[in-house]
Structure formats: C-alpha cells, structure tokens
Amino acid sequence: MAKSGKVLLHSTKNPQTENLRTAMVELLQKHLGTAVDITYQTKQAHWNVKGMNFIAVHKLFDELHEKTEAYVDDIAERLTAMGGQAHGTVHAAVENSVLEPYPLDLVKSEDHLRRLADSYAKWSEAVKAGIDEAEEAGDALTADLLTQVGRDLDISLYFLESHFQG
Ligand SMILES: [Fe+2]
C-alpha cells in the first residue's frame, strides 16, 4: 500500500501509472463528496417542498435524487478500481463537496427549484473541469464517467430551470 501525499493507494494490476491513479483518486474524491451532498440536497427538497404544484415537484425531486444516488456508486467504484480508498461518508462529503450548504428553511417550490438549480449548475461546472483534467492526465475512462455524469446533470438542470424560465 502506497501513500503519496494524502492519497492512500492499494496495490493493483490496474495498468495505469501510480501518478495517474493518485491524481484521479484525488479528483474523484471531490466528485464523490459532491455526489453524496447533492443527492441529499435533492431529498431535502423532496421532503420539504410545499405549494400548488406539490406533487409534480415532489416526484421530480425524487427522480433527480435517484439519478444522483447512482453517481455516488459509479464514482466511488471508479475510484476504488484505481486502488483508491473511497471517502464515502456524509461526514467526509462535507469536507470534499464543491457545493454550498443547502438552506434548511426553504419551503416554496420555486425556492427549492432555484436553489437546486444553483447546486446542479455548480457541480456541472466542476464536472466539466474534471473532464478536462482527466483528459489532460490521460485517463479516458475517468473522463468518460464524468462525461456521462455531466450530460445527466445538464438534463436535470434543464428540468429544474424550465419551471422558472420563459
Ligand atoms: Fe419519498
């Protein structure tokens, strides 16, 4: 087991170099924390939203939660496949997430839609930077995973923003 900086790497026959794996584990740790954070930000909205369009947004938030929850597993397992040690707890997510804390007192559907749109846009921006970083480092597989996450995030953002655009 090697430890370079703060990244713990398990030995593996994965053909990527240790330097590359270290860089990608560090990159993915940030996205794992953000995925854990956003999946519960979305549940927070699902549980607390109120308003005339309650049932539609209540259900939409649950669908978005299910998508982001799937990324938690995809990102964690890409990270562990490269020999990394996943920091997947809620406690670790607070340290690693790129998002601002979600307010606990939001009620109205428009407030949740706008606030979630901010979070989805912020993660989308970080994912796009992560794709560039993975491509430049030479890890097409991590870039591909982040590309898939980014494409879904943009659709989720479109679903959220369509409630208050136009
Ligand atoms: Fe529910």
Side-chain angles (χ1 to χ4, degrees):
M1 201 176 300
K3 211 172 181 183
S4 75
K6 57 185 173 141
V7 177
L8 176 74
L9 275 187
H10 298 278
S11 63
T12 164
K13 288 193 165 55
N14 184 307
Q16 288 167 307
T17 66
E18 196 173 305
N19 274 352
L20 177 58
R21 291 190 291 113
T22 300
M24 292 301 99
V25 166
E26 214 159 354
L27 171 67
L28 288 171
Q29 212 69 268
K30 177 172 71 182
H31 290 289
L32 174 58
T34 307
V36 171
D37 192 3
I38 208 164
T39 203
Y40 279 98
Q41 289 199 3
T42 311
K43 268 291 193 190
Q44 171 72 13
H46 167 74
W47 290 321
N48 291 293
V49 68
K50 295 190 189 300
M52 288 306 289
N53 54 355
F54 165 75
I55 200 67
V57 287
H58 177 71
K59 285 181 176 171
L60 170 65
F61 294 154
D62 218 20
E63 284 168 22
L64 299 187
H65 159 76
E66 278 173 27
K67 279 191 174 197
T68 48
E69 194 178 40
Y71 310 148
V72 171
D73 205 47
D74 292 346
I75 294 167
E77 289 177 357
R78 174 78 198 136
L79 188 158
T80 51
M82 286 188 293
Q85 178 84 6
H87 297 175
T89 63
V90 172
H91 217 77
V94 172
E95 293 289 308
N96 294 332
S97 174
V98 302
L99 305 180
E100 299 297 324
Y102 197 86
L104 300 177
D105 58 352
L106 293 189
V107 176
K108 287 186 192 156
S109 60
E110 185 169 346
D111 293 342
H112 281 293
L113 288 160
R114 287 183 182 276
R115 184 57 187 75
L116 279 181
D118 289 345
S119 288
Y120 278 75
K122 181 134 195 197
W123 192 21
S124 177
E125 192 184 344
V127 162
K128 280 158 195 159
I131 295 165
D132 291 344
E133 196 180 325
E135 276 174 353
E136 280 162 28
D139 185 352
L141 302 177
T142 295
D144 179 65
L145 169 61
L146 291 175
T147 300
Q148 187 190 329
V149 171
R151 192 163 42 230
D152 275 350
L153 282 179
D154 281 359
I155 293 172
S156 296
L157 181 59
Y158 151 61
F159 279 25
L160 292 164
E161 283 188 314
S162 292
H163 291 82
F164 51 84
Q165 279 171 330

